[in-house]
Amino acid sequence: MSPDTWTFDLASADGWINLVSAVFMVVGAVMSLGAAIGLLRFPDLLSRMHAATKPQVLGLFLLLASIGLQMRTWWVWPVLLVAWIFQLLTVPVSAHMVGRAGYRTKHLHRELLTSDELEAVVRKSRRQGRPRGRLRRRP
């Protein structure tokens, strides 16, 4: 994109599209920056996991929408939509897996938890003799 396409003449539709695209890009970048700062500043695994997933998905959506608005072609929208849906499907699953692994390996601060709903499930599985994350070898 050349600098002359970034005009904010609000009398035309192109000016409004440029303005919305610029706002989406700045807000998306700030949200992604907030996620990165949260990863560095929060004290435990669960807080960091929350900071990495929540603002990152919305920030990516805003950045992809900004790209779609600036491209001004219809064919780019399905590609951007697939990229965003892939993020929506994979980020919660990966965060869930990292959170459970961190909980089972004691990489969290229990004093920061307001409620611990997983403790009873873990205790029950240990009483039943289930392996913790490893497969048992058969004799």
Short mmCIF file of all heavy atoms in Angstrom, two decimals, residues 102-124:
data_model
loop_
_atom_site.label_atom_id
_atom_site.label_comp_id
_atom_site.label_asym_id
_atom_site.label_seq_id
_atom_site.Cartn_x
_atom_site.Cartn_y
_atom_site.Cartn_z
N GLY A 102 -0.37 -27.76 33.75
CA GLY A 102 0.21 -26.93 34.81
C GLY A 102 -0.39 -27.22 36.17
O GLY A 102 0.30 -27.21 37.18
N TYR A 103 -1.68 -27.50 36.20
CA TYR A 103 -2.33 -27.83 37.46
C TYR A 103 -1.81 -29.14 38.01
O TYR A 103 -1.50 -29.26 39.19
CB TYR A 103 -3.85 -27.92 37.25
CG TYR A 103 -4.61 -28.15 38.52
CD1 TYR A 103 -5.06 -27.09 39.27
CD2 TYR A 103 -4.87 -29.43 38.97
CE1 TYR A 103 -5.76 -27.28 40.44
CE2 TYR A 103 -5.57 -29.65 40.14
CZ TYR A 103 -6.02 -28.57 40.88
OH TYR A 103 -6.69 -28.78 42.04
N ARG A 104 -1.71 -30.13 37.16
CA ARG A 104 -1.27 -31.46 37.62
C ARG A 104 0.20 -31.48 38.01
O ARG A 104 0.61 -32.29 38.84
CB ARG A 104 -1.54 -32.50 36.55
CG ARG A 104 -3.01 -32.81 36.41
CD ARG A 104 -3.24 -33.86 35.34
NE ARG A 104 -4.65 -34.14 35.20
CZ ARG A 104 -5.25 -35.16 35.81
NH1 ARG A 104 -4.58 -35.97 36.56
NH2 ARG A 104 -6.54 -35.35 35.62
N THR A 105 1.01 -30.60 37.43
CA THR A 105 2.43 -30.56 37.79
C THR A 105 2.74 -29.49 38.83
O THR A 105 3.90 -29.21 39.08
CB THR A 105 3.30 -30.33 36.53
OG1 THR A 105 2.90 -29.10 35.91
CG2 THR A 105 3.18 -31.48 35.56
N LYS A 106 1.68 -28.90 39.40
CA LYS A 106 1.80 -27.92 40.50
C LYS A 106 2.52 -26.64 40.11
O LYS A 106 3.22 -26.05 40.90
CB LYS A 106 2.52 -28.55 41.71
CG LYS A 106 1.98 -29.89 42.14
CD LYS A 106 0.68 -29.72 42.88
CE LYS A 106 0.29 -31.03 43.54
NZ LYS A 106 -0.88 -31.64 42.99
N HIS A 107 2.34 -26.19 38.87
CA HIS A 107 2.92 -24.93 38.43
C HIS A 107 1.88 -23.80 38.55
O HIS A 107 1.55 -23.14 37.58
CB HIS A 107 3.40 -25.02 36.99
CG HIS A 107 4.67 -25.77 36.84
ND1 HIS A 107 4.71 -27.12 36.67
CD2 HIS A 107 5.95 -25.37 36.87
CE1 HIS A 107 5.95 -27.52 36.57
NE2 HIS A 107 6.74 -26.47 36.69
N LEU A 108 1.34 -23.62 39.74
CA LEU A 108 0.38 -22.56 39.96
C LEU A 108 0.46 -22.13 41.41
O LEU A 108 1.01 -22.82 42.26
CB LEU A 108 -1.03 -23.01 39.61
CG LEU A 108 -1.62 -24.10 40.51
CD1 LEU A 108 -3.05 -23.74 40.81
CD2 LEU A 108 -1.58 -25.43 39.79
N HIS A 109 -0.08 -20.97 41.68
CA HIS A 109 -0.15 -20.44 43.04
C HIS A 109 -1.56 -20.68 43.56
O HIS A 109 -2.49 -20.02 43.14
CB HIS A 109 0.18 -18.95 43.07
CG HIS A 109 1.57 -18.63 42.65
ND1 HIS A 109 2.63 -18.74 43.52
CD2 HIS A 109 2.09 -18.23 41.47
CE1 HIS A 109 3.74 -18.41 42.88
NE2 HIS A 109 3.44 -18.09 41.63
N ARG A 110 -1.71 -21.63 44.47
CA ARG A 110 -3.04 -21.96 44.98
C ARG A 110 -3.69 -20.79 45.72
O ARG A 110 -4.91 -20.68 45.75
CB ARG A 110 -2.97 -23.17 45.89
CG ARG A 110 -2.68 -24.43 45.12
CD ARG A 110 -3.14 -25.64 45.90
NE ARG A 110 -2.81 -26.84 45.18
CZ ARG A 110 -3.61 -27.40 44.29
NH1 ARG A 110 -4.76 -26.88 44.01
NH2 ARG A 110 -3.24 -28.50 43.67
N GLU A 111 -2.89 -19.92 46.31
CA GLU A 111 -3.47 -18.80 47.04
C GLU A 111 -4.13 -17.78 46.12
O GLU A 111 -4.93 -16.97 46.56
CB GLU A 111 -2.40 -18.11 47.92
CG GLU A 111 -1.30 -17.42 47.15
CD GLU A 111 -0.14 -18.34 46.76
OE1 GLU A 111 -0.19 -19.55 47.02
OE2 GLU A 111 0.81 -17.82 46.16
N LEU A 112 -3.82 -17.83 44.84
CA LEU A 112 -4.44 -16.92 43.88
C LEU A 112 -5.75 -17.45 43.31
O LEU A 112 -6.47 -16.73 42.63
CB LEU A 112 -3.47 -16.62 42.73
CG LEU A 112 -2.18 -15.89 43.11
CD1 LEU A 112 -1.28 -15.75 41.90
CD2 LEU A 112 -2.49 -14.54 43.72
N LEU A 113 -6.06 -18.73 43.56
CA LEU A 113 -7.31 -19.32 43.07
C LEU A 113 -8.47 -18.92 43.96
O LEU A 113 -8.38 -18.98 45.18
CB LEU A 113 -7.20 -20.84 43.04
CG LEU A 113 -6.20 -21.45 42.07
CD1 LEU A 113 -6.17 -22.96 42.24
CD2 LEU A 113 -6.54 -21.09 40.65
N THR A 114 -9.58 -18.53 43.36
CA THR A 114 -10.78 -18.23 44.15
C THR A 114 -11.60 -19.49 44.37
O THR A 114 -12.25 -19.63 45.39
CB THR A 114 -11.64 -17.17 43.46
OG1 THR A 114 -11.96 -17.60 42.15
CG2 THR A 114 -10.91 -15.84 43.41
N SER A 115 -11.61 -20.39 43.40
CA SER A 115 -12.26 -21.68 43.57
C SER A 115 -11.44 -22.72 42.80
O SER A 115 -10.85 -22.43 41.76
CB SER A 115 -13.69 -21.65 43.05
OG SER A 115 -13.71 -21.47 41.66
N ASP A 116 -11.41 -23.92 43.34
CA ASP A 116 -10.63 -24.99 42.74
C ASP A 116 -11.55 -26.16 42.43
O ASP A 116 -11.75 -27.05 43.25
CB ASP A 116 -9.51 -25.41 43.69
CG ASP A 116 -8.51 -26.33 43.03
OD1 ASP A 116 -8.69 -26.65 41.85
OD2 ASP A 116 -7.54 -26.72 43.70
N GLU A 117 -12.14 -26.14 41.25
CA GLU A 117 -13.09 -27.17 40.85
C GLU A 117 -12.41 -28.43 40.34
O GLU A 117 -13.04 -29.48 40.25
CB GLU A 117 -14.03 -26.62 39.79
CG GLU A 117 -14.83 -25.44 40.29
CD GLU A 117 -15.51 -24.69 39.18
OE1 GLU A 117 -15.29 -25.02 38.00
OE2 GLU A 117 -16.28 -23.77 39.50
N LEU A 118 -11.15 -28.36 40.02
CA LEU A 118 -10.45 -29.50 39.46
C LEU A 118 -9.84 -30.40 40.54
O LEU A 118 -9.52 -31.55 40.29
CB LEU A 118 -9.36 -29.01 38.49
CG LEU A 118 -8.69 -30.02 37.59
CD1 LEU A 118 -9.72 -30.75 36.74
CD2 LEU A 118 -7.68 -29.34 36.70
N GLU A 119 -9.71 -29.89 41.75
CA GLU A 119 -9.06 -30.65 42.81
C GLU A 119 -9.78 -31.96 43.11
O GLU A 119 -9.15 -33.02 43.27
CB GLU A 119 -8.96 -29.81 44.08
CG GLU A 119 -8.23 -30.51 45.20
CD GLU A 119 -8.12 -29.62 46.42
OE1 GLU A 119 -8.78 -28.57 46.49
OE2 GLU A 119 -7.33 -29.99 47.30
N ALA A 120 -11.11 -31.94 43.17
CA ALA A 120 -11.87 -33.15 43.47
C ALA A 120 -11.70 -34.18 42.36
O ALA A 120 -11.60 -35.38 42.62
CB ALA A 120 -13.33 -32.82 43.68
N VAL A 121 -11.65 -33.75 41.13
CA VAL A 121 -11.49 -34.67 39.99
C VAL A 121 -10.11 -35.32 40.03
O VAL A 121 -9.98 -36.53 39.83
CB VAL A 121 -11.71 -33.91 38.66
CG1 VAL A 121 -11.42 -34.80 37.47
CG2 VAL A 121 -13.11 -33.35 38.59
N VAL A 122 -9.09 -34.54 40.30
CA VAL A 122 -7.73 -35.08 40.37
C VAL A 122 -7.59 -36.04 41.54
O VAL A 122 -7.01 -37.12 41.41
CB VAL A 122 -6.69 -33.93 40.45
CG1 VAL A 122 -5.31 -34.46 40.74
CG2 VAL A 122 -6.70 -33.13 39.17
N ARG A 123 -8.15 -35.68 42.68
CA ARG A 123 -8.08 -36.55 43.85
C ARG A 123 -8.80 -37.87 43.58
O ARG A 123 -8.32 -38.95 43.94
CB ARG A 123 -8.70 -35.84 45.05
CG ARG A 123 -8.31 -36.50 46.36
CD ARG A 123 -8.85 -35.77 47.57
NE ARG A 123 -8.51 -34.37 47.56
CZ ARG A 123 -9.38 -33.39 47.84
NH1 ARG A 123 -10.61 -33.66 48.16
NH2 ARG A 123 -9.00 -32.13 47.81
N LYS A 124 -9.95 -37.82 42.91
CA LYS A 124 -10.71 -39.03 42.60
C LYS A 124 -9.94 -39.93 41.64
O LYS A 124 -9.90 -41.15 41.80
CB LYS A 124 -12.07 -38.66 42.00
CG LYS A 124 -12.94 -39.84 41.67
CD LYS A 124 -14.25 -39.39 41.07
CE LYS A 124 -15.07 -40.58 40.63
NZ LYS A 124 -16.29 -40.17 39.95
#
